[in-house]
Amino acid sequence: MTDDTTARPNSPGGAALLSVRGVSVRFGGIVALDNVSFDVARGDICGLIGPNGAGKTTLFNCMSRLYRYQAGDILLEGQTLTDVPTHRVAGLGLGRTFQNLAMFQRMTVTDNIMVGAHSRSAAGFVASALRLPVVGAEEARLRERAHRIMDYLGLLPFARRLAGDLPFATQKRIELGRALAAEPKLLMLDEPAAGLNHEELTALDEVIRDLRRRWQITVLLVEHHMSLVMGVSDHIVVLNFGRKIAEGPPAQIQNHPDVVEAYLGAGAAAHA
């Protein structure tokens, strides 16, 4: 478990930032999520783990309003997301990265990150269309924020480069930067360690911790790299075949028989 407790004044005992309440999703006859419930406390780093096909990315897509759930509810700061249009989610304070990189390959690094910042733009459609003075001031503010984020993530040397021309690990940082530009309260990271080497993995661990400490961001992390999850998380939720099978601190989850069985099989669980 992380030792950043001094940076979490609102965490234990405080109101949940995110509440998942009995969420169920079916695709035809396939049950992707079955009555899943858990909370993420403000200021926590929460790991969401499970074998392939457990329903983790499906839940992320429900939270992002890319999928509709047939039962249950998802609340951010007590506000239901059920009827929130997809394009309004970022403005509520929910940011995410994707398992498969989703960025504008033929746009520069700066422009990719500024795309995320536009969810916080105060300039309306008419003002933007007429290029009123307020639009120029807003654009300058968003560009400055993008510059600060690129500096934080070590992306300034690539600011004018096309995102699609850069190495995979750098593209991962660009996508993270775009999510940060939206000023999220809750940051959902979908397999951020995939494809990273040991040195890059260590850097990612430090970034996730620093996001909580310096940026006051709550993190929900989907990841198959168990050493990262167990090392950085305060709390872990485990899914298997769409159901929640365990929840608790990392030390408890590591030895939970249902978790061992889900990952290694019944024989391994019997000897755990």
Side-chain angles (χ1 to χ4, degrees):
M1 183 182 294
T2 177
D3 57 0
D4 294 337
T5 52
T6 56
R8 299 163 51 222
N10 299 317
S11 183
L17 178 67
L18 173 74
S19 294
V20 178
R21 291 285 175 263
V23 170
S24 295
V25 176
R26 292 173 177 81
F27 300 111
I30 299 174
V31 179
L33 292 173
D34 187 3
N35 194 32
V36 173
S37 297
F38 64 90
D39 288 339
V40 178
R42 188 185 302 274
D44 265 8
I45 298 172
C46 178
L48 180 63
I49 66 172
N52 287 329
K56 306 179 298 294
T57 296
T58 296
L59 181 57
F60 265 28
N61 287 338
C62 288
M63 293 168 60
S64 303
R65 304 304 298 124
L66 299 175
Y67 292 170
R68 295 190 65 85
Y69 35 92
Q70 285 77 45
D73 201 359
I74 299 174
L75 302 100
L76 185 67
E77 293 189 309
Q79 177 180 346
T80 180
L81 299 180
T82 299
D83 297 319
V84 175
T86 304
H87 66 281
R88 297 289 187 191
V89 170
L92 293 179
L94 196 156
R96 86 172 274 189
T97 64
F98 289 82
Q99 183 176 344
N100 299 312
L101 288 173
M103 66 177 63
F104 299 97
Q105 301 281 331
R106 307 317 297 169
M107 287 171 55
T108 67
V109 173
T110 299
D111 288 341
N112 264 278
I113 293 177
M114 286 185 66
V115 166
H118 276 288
S119 67
R120 294 295 182 180
S121 174
F125 174 79
V126 174
S128 298
L130 297 177
R131 299 299 299 177
L132 297 180
V134 66
V135 175
E138 183 78 350
E139 194 79 5
R141 183 184 69 82
L142 297 182
R143 190 170 295 276
E144 172 59 27
R145 176 165 178 79
H147 185 278
R148 292 199 305 271
I149 290 170
M150 287 189 293
D151 185 34
Y152 173 71
L153 294 175
L155 293 171
L156 280 181
F158 313 108
R160 297 185 179 181
R161 295 277 301 277
L162 297 181
D165 293 342
L166 296 169
F168 181 77
T170 305
Q171 292 187 27
K172 284 265 192 178
R173 279 185 283 150
I174 295 168
E175 190 174 42
L176 175 58
R178 185 182 61 195
L180 291 177
E183 303 177 38
K185 300 171 185 175
L186 175 68
L187 178 62
M188 303 186 302
L189 300 176
D190 196 351
E191 297 194 27
L196 302 185
N197 60 36
H198 178 73
E199 181 179 336
E200 292 161 346
L201 190 64
T202 299
L204 175 63
D205 181 299
E206 294 171 355
V207 166
I208 293 173
R209 295 174 188 270
D210 197 54
L211 288 175
R212 187 258 296 281
R213 181 174 55 245
R214 185 186 307 188
W215 296 62
Q216 303 298 304
I217 293 175
T218 302
V219 177
L220 181 59
L221 170 68
V222 166
E223 185 52 65
H224 286 291
H225 202 292
M226 287 298 102
S227 65
L228 174 65
V229 175
M230 295 298 171
V232 80
S233 299
D234 304 295
H235 187 81
I236 295 176
V237 175
V238 189
L239 301 181
N240 192 29
F241 293 112
R243 292 187 174 186
K244 186 181 77 173
I245 62 171
E247 180 177 6
Q252 176 182 325
I253 293 300
Q254 282 179 311
N255 300 309
H256 195 293
D258 291 341
V259 178
V260 175
E261 179 178 349
Y263 275 98
L264 300 177
H271 293 89

